[in-house]
Structure formats: structure tokens, C-alpha cells
Amino acid sequence: MSRTLAVVKIVFLCLVALCIPGMLILDAIQARKYADLKQQVLDLEKKQADLVEQNKKLITDISVLSGTDRIERIAEGELGMRQAQSEEIVRVEMKDVKKK
């Protein structure tokens, strides 16, 4: 019985000894995955900051391009348009027609 107990102890110690390098390998794999994910997060944060700056620039461009002075200048100069006189304005009223 004591010989069997000694064999079981040796097998158990060998398994524990083999588990330690296995745990270290798993730890290294997890550390590498963490580093990769951290780099992806940093890349995405940089891309987000770039997109926010680009969005700000586009909003500024929209407000410049939609300015009334610019639109009036293009309408008069390039399109030959003019502001309508009050006697040229016709108002059309539509009555609410309900379907039965």
C-alpha cells in the first residue's frame, strides 16, 4: 500500500510540475491578447478623434456654404435670379380635404 501511495504522490507532483509551465504559457497568451486589444482600442480612439475633427471641419464648411450672402450672390450673379417683388408673390391656400 505504501508503494502505491508513493507512486500516486510522484504522479501528483509530476502533474503539478507540468501545470506550472502550462499556466505560464496561458498567462503569456492572455498577455499577448490583451496587448493586441489595447492596441486596437488605441487605434480606434485615434480614428474617432480624427473623425470628430473631420466632422467639425465639415460642419464649418456647411455653415459657410449655406450662408445667405453666398447663396444670394450665386443666385443673382451666376443664375440671373432676383428677389421677387411683393406684387409678384401669389399665395395658394389648400383646404383640408378629409378622405371618407
Side-chain angles (χ1 to χ4, degrees):
M1 183 79 149
S2 126
R3 181 173 165 92
T4 308
L5 187 61
V7 170
V8 169
K9 276 185 176 180
I10 291 172
V11 170
F12 178 73
L13 288 174
C14 288
L15 287 175
V16 169
L18 290 174
C19 284
I20 292 172
M23 294 294 227
L24 291 173
I25 290 170
L26 286 176
D27 184 52
I29 291 171
Q30 286 298 97
R32 181 65 189 155
K33 284 182 182 179
Y34 174 79
D36 290 343
L37 288 174
K38 187 174 181 179
Q39 186 59 46
Q40 285 180 359
V41 167
L42 292 174
D43 292 344
L44 289 172
E45 286 175 346
K46 184 181 181 313
K47 185 176 180 179
Q48 180 184 23
D50 292 344
L51 289 172
V52 166
E53 285 303 315
Q54 183 181 3
N55 194 35
K56 286 179 184 177
K57 183 184 178 300
L58 290 172
I59 288 171
T60 303
D61 290 347
I62 287 171
S63 46
V64 167
L65 293 174
S66 63
T68 55
D69 293 339
R70 179 181 174 276
I71 292 173
E72 188 175 331
R73 184 173 26 87
I74 291 172
E76 290 175 353
E78 295 177 20
L79 302 174
M81 300 173 94
R82 63 175 175 73
Q83 285 190 353
Q85 302 296 319
S86 58
E87 61 269 0
E88 296 174 322
I89 298 174
V90 177
R91 296 197 186 271
V92 178
E93 290 185 31
M94 306 262 312
K95 293 190 177 182
D96 220 8
V97 180
K98 293 184 181 179
K99 294 182 180 178
K100 294 182 181 181

